[in-house]
Coordinates of all heavy atoms in Angstrom, one line a residue:
A211 N -3.9 -9.9 2.5 CA -4.6 -9.1 3.4 C -4.9 -7.6 3.0 O -6.0 -7.1 3.2 CB -3.8 -9.1 4.7
N212 N -4.0 -7.2 2.2 CA -4.2 -5.8 1.6 C -5.4 -5.8 0.7 O -6.2 -4.9 0.6 CB -3.1 -5.3 0.8 CG -1.7 -5.0 1.6 OD1 -0.7 -5.3 1.1 ND2 -1.9 -4.5 2.8
V213 N -5.6 -6.9 -0.1 CA -6.7 -7.0 -1.0 C -8.0 -7.1 -0.2 O -9.1 -6.5 -0.5 CB -6.5 -8.2 -1.9 CG1 -7.8 -8.4 -2.8 CG2 -5.3 -8.0 -2.8
L214 N -8.0 -8.0 0.8 CA -9.3 -8.2 1.6 C -9.6 -7.0 2.4 O -10.8 -6.7 2.6 CB -9.0 -9.4 2.6 CG -8.9 -10.8 1.9 CD1 -8.4 -11.9 2.8 CD2 -10.1 -11.2 1.1
H215 N -8.6 -6.3 2.9 CA -8.9 -5.0 3.7 C -9.6 -4.1 2.6 O -10.5 -3.3 3.0 CB -7.5 -4.3 4.0 CG -7.5 -3.0 4.6 ND1 -6.7 -2.0 4.4 CD2 -8.6 -2.5 5.5 CE1 -7.0 -1.0 5.1 NE2 -8.2 -1.2 5.7
T216 N -9.2 -3.9 1.4 CA -9.8 -3.1 0.4 C -11.2 -3.5 0.3 O -12.1 -2.5 0.2 CB -9.1 -3.2 -0.9 OG1 -7.7 -2.8 -0.8 CG2 -9.7 -2.3 -2.0
K217 N -11.5 -4.6 0.2 CA -12.9 -5.2 -0.1 C -13.9 -4.8 1.1 O -14.9 -4.3 0.9 CB -12.9 -6.7 -0.4 CG -14.2 -7.3 -0.7 CD -14.1 -8.7 -1.1 CE -15.4 -9.3 -1.6 NZ -15.9 -8.6 -2.9
E218 N -13.4 -5.2 2.4 CA -14.2 -4.9 3.4 C -14.3 -3.5 3.8 O -15.5 -3.0 4.2 CB -13.5 -5.7 4.6 CG -14.3 -5.6 5.9 CD -15.7 -6.2 6.0 OE1 -15.9 -7.0 5.2 OE2 -16.5 -5.9 6.9
L219 N -13.3 -2.7 3.7 CA -13.4 -1.3 4.0 C -14.3 -0.6 3.0 O -15.0 0.3 3.4 CB -12.0 -0.7 3.9 CG -11.9 0.9 4.1 CD1 -12.5 1.3 5.5 CD2 -10.5 1.4 4.0
S220 N -14.3 -1.0 1.8 CA -15.1 -0.4 0.8 C -16.6 -0.6 1.1 O -17.5 0.3 1.1 CB -14.9 -0.9 -0.6 OG -15.8 -0.5 -1.5
S221 N -16.9 -1.9 1.6 CA -18.2 -2.1 2.0 C -18.7 -1.3 3.2 O -19.7 -0.8 3.3 CB -18.4 -3.7 2.2 OG -19.6 -3.9 2.8
R222 N -17.7 -1.1 4.2 CA -18.2 -0.4 5.4 C -18.3 1.1 5.0 O -19.1 1.8 5.6 CB -17.1 -0.5 6.4 CG -17.1 -1.9 7.0 CD -15.8 -2.3 7.9 NE -16.0 -3.5 8.5 CZ -16.3 -3.8 9.7 NH1 -16.5 -2.8 10.6 NH2 -16.3 -5.1 10.2
L223 N -17.5 1.6 4.1 CA -17.6 3.1 3.7 C -18.9 3.4 3.0 O -19.6 4.3 3.2 CB -16.5 3.5 2.8 CG -15.1 3.6 3.5 CD1 -13.9 3.8 2.5 CD2 -15.0 4.8 4.5
Q224 N -19.3 2.4 2.1 CA -20.5 2.5 1.4 C -21.8 2.6 2.3 O -22.7 3.3 2.2 CB -20.7 1.5 0.3 CG -19.7 1.8 -0.8 CD -19.7 0.5 -1.9 OE1 -20.7 -0.1 -2.0 NE2 -18.6 0.3 -2.5
K225 N -21.7 1.6 3.4 CA -22.8 1.5 4.3 C -23.0 2.8 5.1 O -24.2 3.1 5.5 CB -22.6 0.3 5.2 CG -22.7 -1.1 4.5 CD -22.4 -2.2 5.6 CE -22.6 -3.5 4.8 NZ -22.3 -4.6 5.8
I226 N -22.0 3.5 5.4 CA -22.1 4.7 6.2 C -22.3 6.0 5.3 O -22.4 7.1 5.8 CB -21.0 5.0 7.1 CG1 -19.7 5.2 6.6 CG2 -21.0 3.8 8.2 CD1 -18.6 5.6 7.5
G227 N -22.3 5.8 3.9 CA -22.5 6.9 3.1 C -21.3 7.9 3.0 O -21.5 9.0 2.7
A228 N -20.1 7.4 3.2 CA -18.9 8.2 3.2 C -18.5 8.5 1.9 O -18.5 7.6 1.0 CB -17.7 7.5 4.0
N229 N -18.1 9.8 1.6 CA -17.6 10.0 0.2 C -16.1 9.9 0.1 O -15.4 10.7 -0.3 CB -17.9 11.7 0.0 CG -17.7 12.0 -1.5 OD1 -17.8 11.2 -2.3 ND2 -17.5 13.3 -1.7
V230 N -15.8 8.6 0.4 CA -14.4 8.2 0.3 C -14.4 6.8 -0.3 O -15.2 5.9 0.0 CB -13.7 8.1 1.7 CG1 -12.4 7.5 1.6 CG2 -13.8 9.4 2.3
T231 N -13.5 6.6 -1.3 CA -13.4 5.3 -1.9 C -12.1 4.7 -1.6 O -11.1 5.3 -1.1 CB -13.4 5.4 -3.5 OG1 -12.3 6.2 -3.9 CG2 -14.8 6.1 -3.9
V232 N -12.0 3.3 -1.8 CA -10.8 2.6 -1.5 C -10.5 1.6 -2.6 O -11.5 0.8 -2.9 CB -10.7 2.0 -0.1 CG1 -11.8 1.1 0.1 CG2 -9.4 1.2 0.1
N233 N -9.4 1.5 -3.2 CA -9.1 0.5 -4.2 C -7.7 0.0 -3.9 O -6.8 0.7 -3.2 CB -9.2 1.1 -5.7 CG -10.7 1.4 -6.0 OD1 -11.5 0.5 -6.2 ND2 -10.9 2.7 -6.0
C234 N -7.4 -1.1 -4.6 CA -6.0 -1.7 -4.5 C -5.3 -1.8 -5.8 O -6.1 -2.0 -6.8 CB -6.0 -2.9 -3.6 SG -6.9 -4.3 -4.3
V235 N -4.0 -1.8 -5.9 CA -3.3 -1.9 -7.1 C -2.1 -2.9 -7.0 O -1.6 -3.1 -6.0 CB -2.7 -0.6 -7.6 CG1 -3.9 0.5 -7.6 CG2 -1.6 -0.1 -6.5
H236 N -1.9 -3.6 -8.1 CA -0.7 -4.4 -8.3 C 0.2 -3.6 -9.3 O -0.2 -3.3 -10.3 CB -1.1 -5.7 -8.9 CG 0.1 -6.4 -9.5 ND1 1.3 -6.7 -8.8 CD2 0.3 -7.1 -10.8 CE1 2.1 -7.4 -9.5 NE2 1.6 -7.6 -10.7
P237 N 1.3 -3.1 -8.8 CA 2.1 -2.1 -9.6 C 2.9 -2.9 -10.7 O 3.4 -2.2 -11.6 CB 3.0 -1.6 -8.5 CG 3.2 -2.6 -7.5 CD 1.9 -3.2 -7.4
G238 N 3.0 -4.3 -10.6 CA 3.8 -4.9 -11.6 C 5.2 -5.3 -10.9 O 5.4 -5.1 -9.8
V239 N 5.9 -6.0 -11.8 CA 7.3 -6.5 -11.2 C 8.3 -5.6 -11.6 O 8.6 -5.1 -12.7 CB 7.6 -7.9 -11.9 CG1 8.9 -8.5 -11.3 CG2 6.5 -8.9 -11.7
V240 N 9.0 -5.1 -10.5 CA 10.1 -4.1 -10.7 C 11.1 -4.3 -9.6 O 10.7 -4.7 -8.5 CB 9.6 -2.6 -10.6 CG1 8.7 -2.4 -9.3 CG2 10.6 -1.6 -10.8
K241 N 12.4 -4.2 -9.8 CA 13.3 -4.5 -8.8 C 13.6 -3.1 -8.1 O 14.0 -2.2 -8.6 CB 14.7 -4.9 -9.4 CG 15.7 -5.3 -8.4 CD 16.9 -6.0 -9.0 CE 17.9 -6.4 -7.8 NZ 19.2 -6.8 -8.4
T242 N 13.1 -3.1 -6.8 CA 13.3 -1.9 -6.1 C 14.0 -2.5 -4.6 O 14.3 -3.5 -4.5 CB 12.0 -1.3 -5.7 OG1 11.2 -2.1 -4.9 CG2 11.1 -1.0 -7.0
R243 N 13.9 -1.5 -3.6 CA 14.5 -1.8 -2.4 C 13.7 -2.8 -1.5 O 14.1 -3.1 -0.6 CB 14.8 -0.5 -1.6 CG 15.9 0.4 -2.2 CD 16.3 1.6 -1.2 NE 16.9 1.1 0.0 CZ 16.4 1.2 1.2 NH1 15.1 1.8 1.3 NH2 16.9 0.8 2.3
L244 N 12.5 -3.1 -2.1 CA 11.7 -4.1 -1.5 C 12.5 -5.4 -1.3 O 12.3 -6.1 -0.3 CB 10.5 -4.3 -2.3 CG 9.5 -5.4 -1.8 CD1 8.9 -5.0 -0.5 CD2 8.4 -5.7 -2.8
T245 N 13.4 -5.7 -2.2 CA 14.2 -6.9 -2.1 C 15.5 -6.8 -1.4 O 16.4 -7.6 -1.6 CB 14.5 -7.3 -3.6 OG1 15.2 -6.4 -4.3 CG2 13.3 -7.6 -4.4
R246 N 15.6 -5.7 -0.6 CA 16.9 -5.4 -0.1 C 17.5 -6.4 1.0 O 18.6 -6.6 1.1 CB 16.9 -4.0 0.7 CG 15.8 -3.9 1.9 CD 15.7 -2.6 2.3 NE 14.6 -2.4 3.3 CZ 13.3 -2.0 2.9 NH1 13.1 -1.9 1.7 NH2 12.4 -2.0 3.9

Side-chain angles (χ1 to χ4, degrees):
N212 295 145
V213 176
L214 293 173
H215 176 218
T216 301
K217 186 174 185 65
E218 180 67 14
L219 177 57
S220 176
S221 175
R222 288 170 178 257
L223 288 170
Q224 290 175 28
K225 285 178 181 177
I226 64 174
N229 190 22
V230 177
T231 64
V232 54
N233 292 289
C234 60
V235 305
H236 166 49
V239 183
V240 57
K241 187 175 183 181
T242 69
R243 290 188 68 246
L244 178 66
T245 61
R246 58 188 174 272

